[in-house]
Amino acid sequence: MEVTKAAIVVNGEINDYDFAKEILDSCSYIVACDGGLKHCHAMGIKPNYIVGDFDSVSADILNEYKEIPKSRFSAEKDFTDMELAIEHVCDEVKSVNHLVILGALGKRLDHQMANIFLLQATLNAGLYTEIIDESTKVLMIDKSCKLHKRDGNLVSLLPVSSTVNAVVTDGLKYPLNSEDLFIGFARGISNLIIDEIAKVSVENGTLLVIQTKEYKCEESK
């Protein structure tokens, strides 16, 4: 199977379907994750695979995709639907090297955090993975990444491991020059991309890179 870029569509918030559809149209393989099938249906997207316990999508919508391969699981399971979708991509779609996850953010903080920490599984599998919506992109790295200013000019670097050694940044307003970051400290929060492309690299450890489109608060009068 010739796939280089795949996507997982999750049952979180997707507020801009035009933005999401443009991303999905660039993917060669799409997994709808339970209620994420509702998003696919709304965008007219036909996924290649559907996975979940199907407690968040109607039988009518499921029936419209009856020809699509599916894995159905019990609602009382030890893994989240997104975790099962990631496992499917890692195990079955061997040629993927870039994974985009849509609908993984939303109002439930516990779900958001669980979804973000699942990036560890894709990092272990060697997949470049982005959790993305119209305003935010989340990466987990243990080596390096490039950030395009067009995707947002605010960047926060948050350690996942207890220490992230020798963090180097290029193209950020407040540079880090082979500095260590420690979990529990906000040293890497709210930096700014000043070049069209910025770079972040680490020598050891695991780092969350969160890129956000800047918003400006109205000045108080």
Side-chain angles (χ1 to χ4, degrees):
M1 183 184 299
E2 291 296 326
V3 174
T4 56
K5 186 177 180 182
I8 295 173
V9 185
V10 188
N11 186 38
E13 291 186 0
I14 298 180
N15 298 311
D16 187 340
Y17 278 148
D18 290 336
F19 171 86
K21 190 174 187 304
E22 184 176 356
I23 291 173
L24 293 173
D25 286 343
S26 70
C27 297
S28 303
Y29 193 90
I30 298 171
V31 179
C33 184
D34 200 272
L37 187 61
K38 295 184 295 186
H39 292 310
C40 290
H41 185 264
M43 290 183 281
I45 294 288
K46 184 177 181 180
N48 301 87
Y49 202 81
I50 303 169
V51 63
D53 53 35
F54 305 147
D55 63 349
S56 302
V57 62
S58 70
D60 289 341
I61 290 180
L62 271 173
N63 189 55
E64 291 189 38
Y65 296 90
K66 58 186 177 183
E67 78 282 4
I68 304 297
K70 300 175 184 65
S71 289
R72 183 188 290 268
F73 295 84
S74 168
E76 296 182 0
K77 57 189 185 301
D78 294 330
F79 305 97
T80 66
D81 293 326
M82 179 169 145
E83 198 168 359
L84 295 168
I86 288 174
E87 182 179 17
H88 170 77
V89 171
C90 291
D91 291 348
E92 304 297 333
V93 191
K94 299 298 185 182
S95 55
V96 64
N97 55 32
H98 184 178
L99 178 62
V100 179
I101 302 175
L102 295 164
L105 304 175
K107 295 178 180 178
R108 284 280 302 268
L109 179 61
D110 54 343
H111 284 181
Q112 291 185 76
M113 292 182 67
N115 290 341
I116 288 169
F117 284 121
L118 284 175
L119 291 175
Q120 183 69 60
T122 63
L123 185 65
N124 294 343
L127 292 181
Y128 173 79
T129 306
E130 305 166 311
I131 291 178
I132 190 168
D133 65 16
E134 61 274 9
S135 63
T136 304
K137 179 183 292 187
V138 184
L139 309 171
M140 184 180 287
I141 67 169
D142 59 4
K143 293 182 177 65
S144 63
C145 68
K146 293 182 180 180
L147 304 171
H148 293 266
K149 189 176 183 179
R150 65 171 184 264
D151 296 324
N153 63 333
L154 283 176
V155 176
S156 290
L157 308 177
L158 302 177
V160 177
S161 53
S162 59
T163 305
V164 182
N165 299 115
V167 181
V168 177
T169 65
D170 182 51
L172 299 184
K173 182 175 181 179
Y174 309 106
L176 296 174
N177 298 303
S178 197
E179 297 183 44
D180 294 344
L181 295 179
F182 304 93
I183 196 167
F185 295 87
R187 174 77 171 85
I189 205 78
S190 293
N191 212 323
L192 290 167
I193 297 179
I194 55 175
D195 294 338
E196 289 306 310
I197 297 178
K199 299 177 183 178
V200 180
S201 65
V202 307
E203 187 174 289
N204 293 297
T206 306
L207 190 67
L208 275 179
V209 180
I210 303 175
Q211 186 175 2
T212 309
K213 292 183 179 177
E214 185 177 15
Y215 62 91
K216 295 183 179 180
C217 297
E218 184 179 351
E219 293 184 3
S220 58
K221 297 180 180 179

